[in-house]
Amino acid sequence: MAVLGTFETCRPALKMSVDRGETGSDRPMARMTLLTPRGLSGLTSAPVTEEGLVVGIGKITVRLPMKLFPDGRTVLRCFPVLLLLSGCGEPTPECDSLDTRNTVIKIMSDDSHNALVNYAAKNSSVVAAMVSNANTQAEKSAILEKARQDAAYRLDDTIRTNSINKANRAVTCTGLLYATVEDVTAQKELDFKVEQTVDGKISISIRPFQF
């Protein structure tokens, strides 16, 4: 077996080697091992066909022409390898991903006294009728509080990406948020920032607003 070379990708190293094929086959076998700080994370092998070799590990694809594998050669010297890399580096989060949408809505719904839901609750005729039928101030407050907590939120289908910071894996976004309380729906453009931490988790901060 001959080691063809070790190639640094974004973080792991890609080690390639070639040895004889299986018994009865005159085609050599190319093997690839993905080396990471934790050790081997992937291992694959493929036969060298008449067209050459195409081997992939995850998003890494290596293409080698057949001329680099001369017949009858049992030990191959090192040669240049074309690495076609896609998605190299840490990805930036997305403004419009499902995780982002769900997190923004959860942040807003967890704050039952945000300005948007307060406006909707105070302008709902259904809520106003229930409040007018209440006998005590405590009952009225409870009706308003329940109306706020039961509000339905959604983000508009279109969310704008205002800026992308690849170095910090962060994006700033703007989206139209709707809050519905009974018969009233209030809407407000919401500015927020999405950041991806080193461990892959998403952090979202919403800019305070008035309504």
Side-chain angles (χ1 to χ4, degrees), residues 145-163:
E145 182 63 25
K146 188 176 187 305
R148 295 188 189 98
Q149 292 178 353
D150 292 345
Y153 295 85
R154 73 177 181 88
L155 279 167
D156 193 72
D157 292 340
T158 301
I159 297 181
R160 299 195 309 272
T161 300
N162 300 322
S163 66

Side-chain angles (χ1 to χ4, degrees), residues 33 48 81 84 103 106 110 120 125 141-142 166 173 176 189 204 207:
T33 305
V48 181
V81 176
L84 305 180
T103 303
K106 186 178 187 309
D110 284 349
S125 59
S141 298
K166 293 184 177 180
C173 323
L176 193 60
E189 272 200 343
I204 295 178
R207 180 180 297 176

Side-chain angles (χ1 to χ4, degrees), residues 60-74:
I60 301 174
T61 303
V62 176
R63 300 177 184 272
L64 303 175
M66 180 57 194
K67 65 182 181 180
L68 297 176
F69 297 88
D71 293 336
R73 188 77 57 85
T74 58

Side-chain angles (χ1 to χ4, degrees), residues 117-135:
V117 76
N118 278 339
Y119 178 88
K122 290 178 180 179
N123 287 274
S124 168
S125 59
V126 174
V127 174
M130 291 189 292
V131 169
S132 66
N133 291 328
N135 296 321

Side-chain angles (χ1 to χ4, degrees), residues 71-148:
D71 293 336
R73 188 77 57 85
T74 58
V75 177
L76 300 180
R77 59 186 176 85
C78 293
F79 51 83
V81 176
L82 173 63
L83 291 180
L84 305 180
L85 303 179
S86 61
C88 222
E90 294 293 337
T92 55
E94 297 179 357
C95 291
D96 198 27
S97 71
L98 182 59
D99 286 343
T100 297
R101 285 177 170 272
N102 290 341
T103 303
V104 169
I105 289 176
K106 186 178 187 309
I107 291 172
M108 294 301 299
S109 62
D110 284 349
D111 178 12
S112 61
H113 289 273
N114 68 75
L116 190 61
V117 76
N118 278 339
Y119 178 88
K122 290 178 180 179
N123 287 274
S124 168
S125 59
V126 174
V127 174
M130 291 189 292
V131 169
S132 66
N133 291 328
N135 296 321
T136 66
Q137 187 61 40
E139 289 178 346
K140 294 179 180 180
S141 298
I143 290 171
L144 279 171
E145 182 63 25
K146 188 176 187 305
R148 295 188 189 98

